[in-house]
């Protein structure tokens, strides 16, 4: 199967020996429909070799590329002097040295029926971020499985990501069949295992093909080594796959890519509709502002149009003077997506630092951005069983469902209703690195959560008024031994003497009851702080001045508690003392135990404490008198 390429460009007018001129050939090539697909699966399943074989056998390599491939194969190849097709794709030196794919490599080739853009995605778990990048723009996926190993954990992970990113058409390429003597029973076992996974994931279409990328069997033409296989080889199967295309049905949606203002008499809004149609005279709405306008002109490339549909680049001009910016979304009034500030989403977590409730990231939908706070992690999806499990965090390469709260409304819609408004990424605001990729499951309107808040006649304001005070949460944070409990006790004594209604929640005391089930590992500390915050919020709603004294070492956890309160209700007090002072005081003997090596999870004793960046009150307790410190906190009340 290693002979000459099976596909040839047609001769001009069917006459032998004549070739089309360059312009005609280019025009014919551009007119072919295009399919974007990825190859994915576990490491060493043969993805790069398969793509190299497709490039070679489809006649897509120039003579200099063939010469370079032959030279590189002799120098670093793994096929004993024969062409090593993986070298056509594994361009990084590290990839060639290790025989693996690290980065996403894009390659272009064509057949007489179609143009292809293929992304060779890495198989190693640590490079899952790059795999998700390749899948984000693909129409279909070729999932490779080594016939000797079967469906592996990374096969399942990649398949879940493929489905999560909206790909429903999969070609299952059972590779290296030559190494199992073309065993039909082995092929059927692997196909049955994968179809069970595909059924669970909702993959609508799976075509299974037994092949050998190394030798070319069932890649372009059917192999004589598989007389029991009656399906199409890989390339004809890819030629027959439909590409994902924008839907002309449903409500009109156009994300604005550019505001064209060449002079003061013209202002047009440029973009490509992702769904629906727009006509001259249509009433539309601009999100997130909600401003309405009427379409005066629809301008296509070089000409005026009466209407335009999804996938057709246009410039819209309105009758009214309307404020529209890049990143806004123009929608029809029928079936229009709404601007939401809370959503439920499925997320692939791509950052080495775990995702935890209370953390904040930049959420980007196209060119639009908002600050997203992780309100909750609903569950983790097990890549093996498909089951959902409750967790406190999402680790690198995990897939889970989360709830996000945004600092400003964004136009969002369920992914099933349209790609452009259903996909997003989360970006680390400090490093600007992509931390996660997600799909909107559903926007959550205010009051639409599964637990419905009841409205009562007496509320927090009435309770506080009856006590003739303004309810507050005073949150004291600092190292063990910094003086939090001492200051909290003195503060409550002073407030009580003034006739205030108070409650003191000491972190250690609460551990004897409400948090009795928690230890001192970082995840337990986070849950302890969350519970303290929830109780403090209930007490503030009761009209009390609540004083919380807890190490609460992590800034994101304290910020999550602050977000539960109305502006001005939460007062963070950083009780600061030098580590030497804290160790000298050592009221619980923690520093001595930590020094002796007898204390695990010593966060907040001397290390790994994240000090507040902008506390309402910052007191230093090394030498100051307690009453003076109390006076400073009272001033903030």
């Amino acid at each position: 199967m290693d002979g000459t390429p099976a596909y040839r460009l047609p001769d001009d007018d069917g006459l032998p020996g004549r070739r089309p001129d360059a312009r005609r050939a280019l025009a014919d090539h551009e007119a072919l429909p295009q399919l974007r697909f990825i190859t994915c699966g576990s490491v060493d399943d043969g993805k790069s070799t398969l793509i190299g074989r497709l490039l070679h056998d489809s006649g897509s390599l120039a003579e200099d590329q063939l010469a370079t491939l032959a030279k590189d194969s002799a120098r670093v190849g793994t096929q004993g002097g024969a062409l090593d097709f993986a070298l056509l794709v594994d361009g990084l030196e590290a990839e060639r040295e290790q025989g693996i794919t690290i980065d996403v490599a894009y390659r272009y080739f064509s057949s007489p029926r179609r143009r292809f853009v293929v992304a060779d995605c890495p198989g190693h778990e640590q490079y899952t971020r790059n795999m998700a990048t390749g899948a984000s723009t693909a129409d279909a996926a070729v999932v490779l499985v080594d016939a000797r190993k079967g469906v592996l954990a990374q096969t399942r992970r990649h398949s879940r990501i493929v489905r999560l990113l909206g790909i429903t058409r999969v070609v299952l390429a059972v590779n290296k069949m030559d190494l199992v003597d073309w065993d039909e029973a082995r092929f059927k076992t692997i196909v049955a295992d994968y179809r069970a996974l595909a059924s669970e994931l909702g993959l609508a279409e799976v075509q299974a093909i037994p092949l050998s990328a190394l030798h070319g069997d069932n890649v372009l033409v059917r192999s004589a080594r598989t007389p029991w296989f009656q399906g199409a080889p890989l390339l004809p199967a890819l030629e027959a796959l439909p590409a994902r295309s924008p839907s002309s049905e449903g409500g009109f949606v156009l994300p604005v890519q550019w505001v064209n203002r060449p002079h003061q008499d013209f202002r047009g809004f440029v973009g490509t509709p992702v769904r629906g149609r727009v006509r001259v005279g249509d009433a539309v709405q601009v999100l997130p502002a909600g401003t309405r306008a009427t379409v005066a002109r629809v301008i296509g490339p070089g000409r005026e149009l009466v209407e335009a549909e999804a996938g057709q680049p246009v410039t819209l001009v309105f009758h009214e003077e309307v404020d529209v910016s890049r990143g806004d979304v123009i929608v029809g009034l029928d079936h229009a997506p709404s601007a939401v500030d809370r959503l439920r989403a499925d997320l692939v977590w791509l950052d080495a630092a775990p995702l935890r409730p209370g953390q904040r990231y930049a959420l980007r939908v196209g060119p639009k951005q908002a600050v997203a706070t992780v309100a909750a992690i609903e569950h983790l999806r097990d890549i093996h069983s498909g089951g959902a499990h409750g967790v406190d965090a999402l680790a690198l390469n995990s897939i889970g469902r989360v709830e996000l709260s945004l600092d400003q409304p964004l136009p969002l819609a369920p992914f099933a209703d349209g790609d452009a408004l259903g996909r997003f990424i989360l970006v680390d605001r400090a490093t600007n690195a992509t931390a996660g990729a997600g799909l909107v499951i559903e926007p959550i309107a205010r009051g639409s959560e599964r637990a419905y808040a009841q409205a009562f006649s007496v509320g927090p304001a009435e309770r506080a008024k009856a006590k003739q005070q303004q309810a507050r949460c005073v949150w004291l944070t600092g190292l063990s031994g910094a003086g939090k409990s001492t200051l909290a006790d003195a503060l409550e004594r002073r407030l009580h003497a003034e006739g205030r209604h108070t409650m003191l929640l000491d972190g250690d005391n609460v551990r004897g009851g409400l948090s009795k089930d928690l230890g001192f590992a970082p995840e337990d500390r986070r849950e302890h702080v969350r519970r303290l915050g929830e109780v403090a919020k209930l007490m503030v709603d009761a009209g009390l001045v609540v004083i919380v004294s807890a190490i609460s070492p992590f800034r994101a956890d304290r910020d999550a508690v602050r977000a539960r309160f109305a502006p001005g209700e939460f007062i963070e007090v950083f009780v600061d003392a030098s580590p030497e002072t804290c160790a000298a005081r050592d009221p619980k003997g923690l520093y001595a135990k930590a020094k002796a090596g007898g204390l695990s999870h010593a966060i907040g004793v001397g290390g790994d404490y994240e000090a507040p960046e902008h506390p309402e009150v910052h007191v230093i307790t090394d030498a100051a008198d307690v009453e003076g410190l109390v006076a400073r906190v009272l001033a903030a009340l």
Side-chain angles (χ1 to χ4, degrees), residues 61 65-74 83-85 87-88:
L61 298 178
Q65 290 176 305
L66 287 169
T68 300
L69 175 61
K71 181 179 178 181
D72 289 345
S73 297
L83 294 180
D84 187 346
F85 296 110
L87 297 179
L88 288 168

Side-chain angles (χ1 to χ4, degrees), residues 154-222:
Q154 191 70 334
T155 316
R156 296 179 181 275
R157 177 179 287 106
H158 280 189
S159 297
R160 291 189 183 280
I161 294 174
V162 159
R163 183 64 186 96
L164 179 64
L165 295 179
I167 299 174
T168 60
R169 295 180 176 90
V170 168
V171 175
L172 177 65
V174 183
N175 192 25
K176 304 186 181 182
M177 285 293 297
D178 54 308
L179 300 182
V180 295
D181 296 325
W182 301 97
D183 185 348
E184 180 183 6
R186 178 59 178 162
F187 173 73
K188 289 183 175 180
T189 298
I190 293 173
V191 173
D193 288 346
Y194 191 83
R195 288 195 186 279
L197 173 64
S199 176
E200 174 200 333
L201 297 180
L203 292 170
E205 182 180 337
V206 176
Q207 298 183 60
I209 302 172
L211 55 82
S212 169
L214 182 63
H215 300 294
D217 294 271
N218 287 332
V219 176
L220 265 68
V221 296
R222 187 173 296 169

Side-chain angles (χ1 to χ4, degrees), residues 503-517:
M503 182 62 195
L504 197 161
L505 298 175
D506 185 82
D508 287 337
N509 292 351
V510 173
R511 279 188 174 277
L514 181 63
S515 295
K516 189 176 182 178
D517 60 320

Side-chain angles (χ1 to χ4, degrees), residues 252-318:
F252 174 70
V253 177
L254 181 144
V256 177
Q257 295 295 319
W258 177 43
V259 177
N260 184 10
R261 191 73 184 272
H263 51 77
Q264 63 180 4
D265 296 325
F266 183 89
R267 191 162 183 256
F269 310 111
V270 183
T272 300
V274 297
R275 194 174 74 229
R277 291 182 171 85
V278 64
R279 299 174 179 83
V280 173
D282 280 355
V284 295
Q285 187 177 18
V286 180
L287 299 177
T291 310
R292 295 194 176 193
T294 306
V295 177
R297 298 171 65 187
V298 178
I299 306 172
R303 63 192 181 98
E304 294 278 346
L305 302 174
V306 175
E307 70 171 16
E309 62 181 17
Q312 186 176 359
V314 293
T315 298
L316 300 185
V317 179
F318 295 156

Side-chain angles (χ1 to χ4, degrees), residues 224-404:
R225 298 185 178 97
T226 55
W228 41 266
F229 175 66
Q230 300 303 313
L234 178 61
L235 186 58
L238 292 174
E239 288 177 329
L241 285 179
R244 287 193 293 185
S245 58
S247 174
S248 296
E249 304 303 320
F252 174 70
V253 177
L254 181 144
V256 177
Q257 295 295 319
W258 177 43
V259 177
N260 184 10
R261 191 73 184 272
H263 51 77
Q264 63 180 4
D265 296 325
F266 183 89
R267 191 162 183 256
F269 310 111
V270 183
T272 300
V274 297
R275 194 174 74 229
R277 291 182 171 85
V278 64
R279 299 174 179 83
V280 173
D282 280 355
V284 295
Q285 187 177 18
V286 180
L287 299 177
T291 310
R292 295 194 176 193
T294 306
V295 177
R297 298 171 65 187
V298 178
I299 306 172
R303 63 192 181 98
E304 294 278 346
L305 302 174
V306 175
E307 70 171 16
E309 62 181 17
Q312 186 176 359
V314 293
T315 298
L316 300 185
V317 179
F318 295 156
H319 281 295
E320 300 83 358
E321 287 292 334
V322 176
D323 182 20
V324 181
S325 302
R326 182 175 185 267
D328 288 347
V329 179
I330 301 172
V331 300
L333 299 185
D334 296 332
H335 310 292
S338 57
V340 299
D341 59 5
R342 193 174 179 91
L343 64 139
R344 185 170 289 114
D346 281 340
L347 193 68
V348 183
W349 191 243
L350 305 173
D351 198 353
L355 175 79
R356 301 185 187 278
Q359 293 175 331
R360 296 181 179 182
Y361 298 87
L363 183 147
R364 294 179 183 171
V365 181
K368 207 70 173 177
Q369 176 173 304
V371 176
T373 301
V374 183
I377 299 176
E378 292 192 1
H379 61 242
L380 168 73
R381 183 67 64 182
D382 189 294
I383 64 167
H384 300 286
S385 68
H389 308 289
V391 293
D392 295 326
L394 291 183
L396 175 67
N397 297 328
S398 295
I399 300 173
R401 181 159 295 179
V402 301
E403 291 186 14
L404 302 174

